[in-house]
Amino acid sequence: MHESRVRTRSTVVIEAAFARGGAVVALESSVLAQGLLPPHNRDAAERMLAAVEAVGATPAITSIVKGVPSFGLEPADLERFLARDGVRKVSSRDLGIAIAQHADGATTVAGTLAMCTLAGIEVFATGGIGGVHRDAPFDESADLVALSHTPVIVVCAGAKSILDLPATMERLETLGVPVVGYRTHELPGFFSMNTGLALTASLDTPEQIATAWLAHRAVGGRSAMLVVQPPPAESALPAELVDDATASALAAARAAGVRGAAVTPFLLADIQQRTQGKSVVANLALLESNARLAGRIAVALTAARFESAPL
């Protein structure tokens, strides 16, 4: 691990992976502690961890455990996070406060990106990034700015479908964040496979992504690289169903006076009801698929570095 003035903690397995220069994939914890409800969050954790391990990489769930930035959750800590027992949501701006207050914190995308810089982790898998909100001037996720200045490969199914996806793509372009489709030429819609938003780059193998990443870094690229892939076809929802459910959920949120940080969880729960639980099935499937792809990219990146190392 990289040296830091902040004391960090890793499980034995992750420490061993760091020591041998093995492939490590960061996983966010907010999807477990504030996103998916029990028992689905446990299912998500098990499927994501197993997917990374199955391709030869080591998964590291990032979090703040009683004030200590942690990579990998011990069983008792994981149980506490899954039970949502006093675990706060931690973005990049909240890390220092959570550490100072010895709190338990589940990291968002932006929070996880900041954690990756502490440990030198270069590959991160999540469900969908935050972005520009619909019908909300100047309301956009801290994820976008974090992506612009944190050199990490982020594997996801695009931005969350409740967002303004064209505006989010425009912001990513303005911030200089390359968006690469994995075997797709258009931005996925998180729950759905298609959005009609064309991508400027598409690659077909983890090895190609690793090569593109090394080139990005070699020319001074300091941003993340967003690697997007559609949810598995057998679990994906029709774009029309997602759009209709989202529009209805937004109307319900406005009628209920839901604002700020409460909007996203409200919308996701409402969409779950309107799709009769199909959105949860899609969410679990894409989380597992993204974790597997991230693991394959991490392994390819480790191999590429080993092959290019001087004898």
Side-chain angles (χ1 to χ4, degrees), residues 151-292:
V152 175
I153 301 171
V154 180
V155 181
C156 64
K160 294 181 177 67
S161 60
I162 59 176
L163 301 170
D164 184 329
L165 299 184
T168 297
M169 285 293 288
E170 290 291 340
R171 287 293 289 143
L172 286 167
E173 179 182 359
T174 299
L175 293 168
V177 179
V179 182
V180 177
Y182 179 68
R183 299 179 180 176
T184 182
H185 292 274
E186 67 178 283
L187 182 74
F190 189 66
F191 293 131
S192 59
M193 299 181 69
N194 308 107
T195 61
L197 296 171
L199 301 174
T200 58
S202 176
L203 297 173
D204 295 326
T205 69
E207 290 75 20
Q208 290 175 345
I209 293 170
T211 300
W213 173 249
L214 292 174
H216 174 69
R217 296 292 285 143
V219 297
R222 297 182 179 180
S223 73
M225 175 179 286
L226 204 63
V227 176
V228 299
Q229 69 167 347
E234 63 273 15
S235 304
L237 303 183
E240 298 79 9
L241 174 62
V242 176
D243 290 341
D244 290 346
T246 301
S248 298
L250 283 165
R254 286 192 292 268
V258 180
R259 299 177 182 276
V263 171
T264 296
F266 178 93
L267 294 178
L268 293 176
D270 195 90
I271 290 171
Q272 177 181 337
Q273 290 185 333
R274 295 178 190 277
T275 61
Q276 299 179 323
K278 293 178 181 177
S279 63
V280 174
V281 174
N283 204 342
L284 290 170
L286 66 88
L287 284 167
E288 180 180 9
S289 180
N290 293 344
R292 184 180 300 107

Side-chain angles (χ1 to χ4, degrees), residues 29-96:
S29 48
S30 183
V31 68
L32 307 177
Q34 289 94 24
L36 290 163
L37 293 171
H40 305 300
N41 58 350
R42 182 181 300 279
D43 191 9
E46 292 174 351
R47 289 169 66 169
M48 293 173 74
L49 292 168
V52 174
E53 291 171 348
V55 296
T58 301
I61 298 177
T62 66
S63 64
I64 305 297
V65 177
K66 299 178 181 178
V68 180
S70 301
F71 302 88
L73 286 168
E74 299 289 355
D77 296 324
L78 178 58
E79 289 301 318
R80 193 167 67 257
F81 274 62
L82 292 175
R84 302 171 174 232
D85 185 11
V87 180
R88 65 178 66 173
K89 188 174 183 178
V90 176
S91 184
S92 53
R93 69 173 186 175
D94 309 309
L95 288 170

